[in-house]
Amino acid sequence: IRRYQERSLAKMFGNGRARSGIIVLPCGAGKTLTGVTAAQTIKKSCVALCTNAVSVLQWKYQFQLWTNIPSDRISIFTSDQKDTIHPEACVLITTYTMVSYTGKRSDKSQEVMDVICGREWGLLLMDE
């Protein structure tokens, strides 16, 4: 990672513990890699919220490229793909729409939402 990404993560993980906050970097500065690095560092379950299904797939690719998180612990929850969420620490990549929808859901979508709501998450990444 680049020096400025390292500095932003150092502020997030200062004093030996993770703090909440917002990391703002310009376009093309590597916000995704910074978020992926934060998720790997925290070693707890993580939700990455994206604006659309294409971004979800891009985030999954970046997690696979830059981390040693096993593939079965990186789950996607979109209208087209509803992976099983690993019962232990994992990464869930979804869209804002999938988690904010308030209407009637399919059985599989409701099952995934029940797992999401019933779990303690260590990190929330919110993509632009």
Side-chain angles (χ1 to χ4, degrees):
I1 65 174
R2 298 181 188 119
R3 181 74 184 125
Y4 60 86
Q5 292 167 313
E6 203 172 272
R7 281 195 305 264
S8 66
L9 289 167
K11 287 185 180 194
M12 182 178 176
F13 293 104
N15 300 329
R17 57 179 285 200
R19 298 187 313 226
S20 62
I22 298 172
I23 294 175
V24 179
L25 296 170
C27 290
K31 291 181 288 293
T32 303
L33 179 56
T34 305
V36 166
T37 304
Q40 171 124 347
T41 302
I42 201 161
K43 295 184 179 9
K44 294 186 179 192
S45 291
C46 168
V47 176
L49 292 176
C50 304
T51 55
N52 58 59
V54 172
S55 293
V56 168
L57 295 175
Q58 290 170 342
W59 271 86
K60 181 175 183 175
Y61 173 74
Q62 294 299 313
F63 270 102
Q64 292 171 324
L65 181 65
W66 297 109
T67 72
N68 58 4
I69 299 170
S71 292
D72 69 324
R73 290 182 182 236
I74 303 172
S75 302
I76 288 180
F77 180 45
T78 63
S79 59
D80 294 331
Q81 185 174 342
K82 295 161 188 67
D83 296 343
T84 300
I85 299 174
H86 197 280
E88 298 174 15
C90 69
V91 174
L92 172 66
I93 310 165
T94 187
T95 63
Y96 293 97
T97 304
M98 287 301 290
V99 295
S100 64
Y101 181 71
T102 57
K104 176 84 170 116
R105 295 179 179 269
S106 69
D107 290 344
K108 180 63 177 172
S109 288
Q110 189 59 55
E111 178 184 314
V112 173
M113 281 304 298
D114 291 345
V115 171
I116 292 170
C117 292
R119 174 175 291 199
E120 184 175 319
W121 298 91
L123 180 64
L124 173 63
L125 299 170
M126 300 173 74
D127 196 8
E128 54 189 325

